Amino acid sequence: MTFWQMVIVFIVVYLCVYALIGRICQCIEHCATARAYSKFRENGVLVKMDDVEAGIKKLNKEKHDVAERVTEK
């Protein structure tokens, strides 16, 4: 194999592994979300996705505010 063939093979293998790891992480995230959502339903709490999104945004804003306060000192 020439140098360029080796480079192309390396890039193709890298992309395949990267895509596979991305799919696995996406699956883990989806399963964790579904498990948490089912726990809420088991406990009788009705959760809408809009409420979850608003909560995530609020937590991210609070985290950002704390980070700004820490860096100001």
Side-chain angles (χ1 to χ4, degrees):
M1 282 187 158
T2 66
F3 173 73
W4 292 110
Q5 287 175 331
M6 294 288 279
V7 169
I8 291 171
V9 168
F10 177 76
I11 290 172
V12 169
V13 169
Y14 176 78
L15 288 175
C16 290
V17 170
Y18 183 80
L20 180 65
I21 290 173
R23 295 278 278 218
I24 291 170
C25 290
Q26 186 179 20
C27 180
I28 291 171
E29 181 181 0
H30 176 74
C31 291
T33 303
R35 190 176 301 124
Y37 187 73
S38 69
K39 291 274 185 187
F40 280 121
R41 294 198 59 151
E42 285 176 9
N43 293 326
V45 178
L46 296 177
V47 178
K48 290 189 248 173
M49 290 309 289
D50 294 337
D51 296 339
V52 173
E53 181 182 4
I56 291 171
K57 286 181 181 179
K58 180 182 175 189
L59 289 174
N60 286 337
K61 184 180 181 320
E62 290 174 358
K63 187 189 303 184
H64 180 69
D65 291 345
V66 169
E68 283 182 354
R69 280 187 252 141
V70 169
T71 57
E72 289 176 0
K73 292 182 180 182

